[in-house]
Amino acid sequence: MTVTLADVAARAQVSPATVSRVLNGNYPVAAATRERVLRAVDELDYVLNGPASSLAAATSDLVGILVNDIADPFFGIMASAVQSEITGPGGRAGGERMAVVCNTGGSPERELTYLTLLQRQRAAAVVVTGGAIENAPHAAAIGGKLRRLGEAGSRVVLCGRPPADDAPDAVALTFDNRGGGRRLTDHLIGLGHRRIGYIAGPTERTTTRHRLEGHQEALAAAGVADDPRLTLHGPYDRRSGYDATLELLRRAPELTAVVAANDTVALGACAALRDRGLSIPDDVSVAGFDDLPFSIDAVPALTTVRLPLYEAGARAGRIAMGREEEPPGGIATVHGELMVRGSTGVPRPY
Amino acid sequence: MTVTLADVAARAQVSPATVSRVLNGNYPVAAATRERVLRAVDELDYVLNGPASSLAAATSDLVGILVNDIADPFFGIMASAVQSEITGPGGRAGGERMAVVCNTGGSPERELTYLTLLQRQRAAAVVVTGGAIENAPHAAAIGGKLRRLGEAGSRVVLCGRPPADDAPDAVALTFDNRGGGRRLTDHLIGLGHRRIGYIAGPTERTTTRHRLEGHQEALAAAGVADDPRLTLHGPYDRRSGYDATLELLRRAPELTAVVAANDTVALGACAALRDRGLSIPDDVSVAGFDDLPFSIDAVPALTTVRLPLYEAGARAGRIAMGREEEPPGGIATVHGELMVRGSTGVPRPY
DNA sequence: CTGTTAGCGCCTTCAG
DNA sequence: CTGAAGGCGCTAACAG
């Protein structure tokens, strides 16, 4: 039914091994023979059987990418960058490597499931993006899985997540969320803000905690009291920003600034303020985090911390492909850059 | 080295066949035996070998998704939706199906390459998103490839792309780009606009052409002359919208509205207008297409045509999984909805 | 440079 | 309900 390597061999009058060799190009073959084989491949419209090839070679051309949700540009950009680096010849039979994108929704159970599935596929590499859940059993389970993946031959790279205990050979490119959060709030305090609302992400996530800690660090350094009533937790979405902002306004009408866990949440905050008839930044300053593409088009443009998502993803991809040296100690910190734009200004006189 | 099904069988004191049967759960096995096997799997930390399994079963758990660029929410949303539907038991050995996301950059060569790679992987299904290139040889090559994929057992679904000749069994969910473009410009004409700039996408793409044709249809229906100097082509990105808007303003300062090929381009247009000190919509109205999540947060909020990207992707995913009946004739048209918001208004008196 | 020979690890008839 | 046996299509030593 479907044409196999043996058919090609027969037609080209060579042995199957030779066909395999010209296909994989990793072994000397006479030019004339190669031509003949290639022609046969073409004439028969032959397509290599990937599973068979992977089975025999004990490795595959698949690279796993774990993301919370690929529809979120934060993850989409990293995934796109990883892809751009795994592309190009290098896979089996001159083929290219392909990206298996797994939406985990941030759930550790799904992360675990997908890691197992990727191990099952004998993925050449796995890039795990996004923050980690802070929960000992889960962390241990995932760490163990990552270690076993590594032992089974997959290169493991964490992108935007702290190093995993239990998985010593996994390279980690960690975002400096704490430092970014610190600089952002420093900036607001420098402008004169003292009553600053903070809309944090979901609890039990490293990203959430680190960004929040940076904020608190800045408050403490400036001797500003950290009123717990001004910090609200919620998902990383627009709605959360909208609702939390209304709640903050209710709790503390005197507030002059709102810091959001990320840009998406910040947009929600902006919408809520507009709906309340408050002007940004004259009545209330707003800041985000990530600097996603749309942030510059907010009106006023969003002050935020730019994370080099594409660059980090690309680097993760190169390391996963063994095309870039691992950072010393297997850990590198990726810093964010404060982008001061129109959405923050001096507080209103009051 | 790595534990195999035979190891599990030995430990559970059954034959490999039995282990395979409990893993795949598609054959009666005594409860007690199953327990024993499952325990052995657990104790040995056994992970099925995907390639071996796929080879023997002649099918895989992989579902291909072709997108222009996964970093673009237009594609990210569809990809996310497809994923949500292929998730869940149903794959081999109770595992789940995984999505292989391929960034083609809209290049037909890369589309072809990836389709071959997916055929090589014996993908269970392939969902192709985005418009098609209008170029006979390419279209034929891709159509042929899709047909062969189908013949090889992969279910093929086009999502947001017109039906492919040469691939009769590929289901197509086509966006009504023409109708959407028509309604959008009808809306502007209804407001009183007569000098309308149009920033189209790249040439030779069905999406570009259909949206533009809808616009021209509306002009013709209203008896408005279609000045070719008011139509510019460019990529589907913000920069293109920015530059094209400046150029349009240069060519026709009297223009009162700009229609962009999509929301991203529209944001660029808004930025250019702001930079020129023009107010939206008082000086110039702006409209986009797609209704991506950020469009509602533009200021003023963007008038656009909402495409149900998530719904379409989900439906494509269900059809790909055989969980939803194919539309009659294998073709369904997905309509967009005009979303009138603040970025369009009556033209300035002049 | 090329052919021969064993598997890779699993699934799936076919017996029992 | 369970075991035995063959083969899925390809690759990777070995010989030559």
Side-chain angles (χ1 to χ4, degrees):
Chain A
M1 190 49 240
T2 110
V3 23
T4 74
L5 191 151
D7 299 327
V8 177
R11 178 160 188 119
Q13 316 211 56
V14 295
S15 72
T18 300
V19 177
S20 173
R21 294 200 261 256
V22 337
L23 257 29
N24 286 296
N26 48 12
Y27 216 80
V29 173
T33 329
R34 160 178 294 110
E35 282 314 307
R36 208 141 32 86
V37 170
L38 257 20
R39 188 143 36 78
V41 165
D42 218 58
E43 289 166 353
L44 296 175
D45 209 10
Y46 170 68
V47 175
L48 184 69
N49 183 316
S53 172
S54 294
L55 170 57
T59 171
S60 83
D61 288 342
L62 267 21
V63 173
I65 306 180
L66 261 61
V67 298
N68 276 17
D69 182 4
I70 195 63
D72 183 337
F74 179 84
F75 294 101
I77 290 169
M78 284 191 284
S80 184
V82 172
Q83 287 229 28
S84 73
E85 296 290 342
I86 66 174
T87 281
R92 305 203 58 69
E96 302 194 2
R97 235 117 18 182
M98 302 216 275
V100 177
V101 175
C102 308
N103 275 8
T104 65
S107 144
E109 288 82 11
R110 295 202 58 69
E111 279 192 348
L112 225 42
T113 303
Y114 276 122
L115 289 175
T116 300
L117 255 24
L118 288 167
Q119 182 181 351
R120 175 186 288 193
Q121 296 294 341
R122 304 302 188 252
V126 174
V127 176
V128 183
T129 68
I133 292 279
E134 304 207 282
N135 171 300
H138 278 143
I142 288 175
K145 199 54 161 172
L146 292 176
R147 182 173 43 63
R148 265 167 284 141
L149 258 169
E151 288 166 1
S154 305
R155 207 170 314 228
V156 177
V157 182
L158 309 180
C159 184
R161 142 172 333 212
D165 304 332
D166 309 311
D169 45 338
V171 174
L173 304 182
T174 305
F175 292 141
D176 177 25
N177 285 309
R178 188 181 281 106
R182 165 74 194 256
R183 283 195 294 288
L184 197 51
T185 297
D186 277 346
H187 158 69
L188 287 169
I189 291 174
L191 287 171
H193 294 275
R194 290 300 176 271
R195 292 294 280 172
I196 306 176
Y198 190 91
I199 308 174
T203 52
E204 283 216 326
R205 319 215 94 242
T206 52
T207 305
T208 297
R209 182 166 61 81
H210 293 156
R211 291 182 182 180
L212 178 53
E213 285 174 359
H215 167 69
Q216 293 168 335
E217 232 177 73
L219 294 179
V224 176
D226 177 20
D227 181 346
R229 295 175 57 257
L230 292 190
T231 296
L232 261 39
H233 284 268
Y236 281 115
D237 60 25
R238 179 182 195 272
R239 177 63 180 272
S240 164
Y242 191 95
D243 293 346
T245 299
L246 295 185
E247 176 62 21
L248 285 171
L249 253 20
R250 210 170 293 132
R251 293 186 179 184
E254 78 283 9
L255 147 166
T256 61
V258 171
V259 177
N262 74 8
D263 289 351
T264 306
V265 174
L267 283 196
C270 290
L273 292 171
R274 271 199 306 276
D275 286 359
R276 273 285 176 277
L278 295 170
S279 130
I280 305 168
D282 295 336
D283 293 315
V284 179
S285 286
V286 176
F289 209 111
D290 294 342
D291 196 23
L292 295 184
F294 56 72
S295 302
I296 193 153
D297 283 311
V299 179
L302 207 55
T303 290
T304 186
V305 175
R306 168 164 217 287
L307 286 183
L309 298 173
Y310 194 88
E311 293 78 357
R315 187 169 172 203
R318 287 192 300 273
I319 293 172
M321 292 298 90
R323 300 206 283 99
E324 175 170 325
E325 211 183 335
E326 299 185 359
I331 302 181
T333 301
V334 175
H335 293 276
E337 181 189 357
L338 179 63
M339 307 297 287
V340 176
R341 298 201 274 239
S343 72
T344 50
V346 297
R348 62 174 181 274
Y350 77 113
Chain B
M1 192 46 245
T2 109
V3 22
T4 74
L5 190 151
D7 299 326
V8 176
R11 179 162 187 114
Q13 315 212 59
V14 295
S15 72
T18 301
V19 178
S20 172
R21 295 200 259 254
V22 337
L23 257 28
N24 286 296
N26 48 13
Y27 215 82
V29 173
T33 331
R34 160 178 293 110
E35 283 314 308
R36 204 139 35 84
V37 170
L38 258 19
R39 190 143 34 77
V41 165
D42 218 58
E43 289 165 352
L44 296 176
D45 208 11
Y46 169 68
V47 175
L48 185 69
N49 184 315
S53 173
S54 294
L55 169 58
T59 172
S60 83
D61 288 342
L62 268 18
V63 174
I65 305 179
L66 261 61
V67 299
N68 277 16
D69 182 4
I70 195 62
D72 182 338
F74 179 84
F75 294 100
I77 290 169
M78 284 191 284
S80 184
V82 172
Q83 287 229 27
S84 73
E85 295 291 342
I86 66 173
T87 281
R92 304 201 60 65
E96 303 195 1
R97 235 120 14 184
M98 303 217 274
V100 177
V101 175
C102 308
N103 275 6
T104 65
S107 144
E109 288 81 10
R110 295 202 57 70
E111 278 191 350
L112 225 41
T113 303
Y114 277 123
L115 289 174
T116 300
L117 255 25
L118 288 167
Q119 182 181 350
R120 176 186 288 191
Q121 296 295 340
R122 305 301 188 254
V126 174
V127 176
V128 183
T129 68
I133 292 279
E134 304 208 282
N135 171 301
H138 279 143
I142 288 174
K145 197 48 148 179
L146 292 176
R147 182 174 43 66
R148 265 167 283 141
L149 258 169
E151 287 167 1
S154 305
R155 206 171 313 230
V156 177
V157 182
L158 308 180
C159 184
R161 143 172 332 214
D165 303 333
D166 309 312
D169 45 338
V171 174
L173 304 182
T174 304
F175 293 142
D176 177 25
N177 286 308
R178 188 180 282 107
R182 166 74 193 258
R183 283 195 294 287
L184 197 52
T185 297
D186 276 346
H187 158 69
L188 287 169
I189 291 174
L191 286 172
H193 295 273
R194 289 301 177 269
R195 292 294 280 171
I196 306 175
Y198 191 90
I199 308 175
T203 51
E204 284 217 325
R205 319 215 93 241
T206 53
T207 306
T208 297
R209 181 165 63 81
H210 293 156
R211 291 183 182 180
L212 177 53
E213 284 175 359
H215 167 70
Q216 294 169 335
E217 233 178 74
L219 293 179
V224 176
D226 176 20
D227 181 347
R229 294 175 57 258
L230 291 191
T231 296
L232 262 38
H233 284 268
Y236 280 115
D237 60 26
R238 178 182 195 273
R239 176 64 180 272
S240 164
Y242 191 96
D243 293 346
T245 299
L246 295 185
E247 175 63 21
L248 284 172
L249 253 20
R250 211 169 294 131
R251 293 185 180 185
E254 79 283 8
L255 147 168
T256 61
V258 172
V259 177
N262 74 7
D263 289 350
T264 306
V265 173
L267 282 196
C270 290
L273 292 170
R274 271 198 306 277
D275 287 358
R276 274 286 176 278
L278 295 170
S279 128
I280 306 168
D282 295 336
D283 292 315
V284 179
S285 286
V286 176
F289 209 110
D290 294 341
D291 195 21
L292 295 184
F294 56 72
S295 303
I296 193 152
D297 283 311
V299 179
L302 207 55
T303 290
T304 185
V305 175
R306 168 164 217 287
L307 287 184
L309 298 173
Y310 194 89
E311 294 77 358
R315 187 169 172 201
R318 286 193 301 272
I319 293 173
M321 293 298 90
R323 299 205 286 100
E324 175 171 327
E325 210 184 337
E326 299 184 0
I331 302 181
T333 300
V334 175
H335 293 277
E337 180 188 357
L338 179 63
M339 308 296 288
V340 175
R341 297 200 275 240
S343 71
T344 50
V346 297
R348 62 175 181 275
Y350 77 113

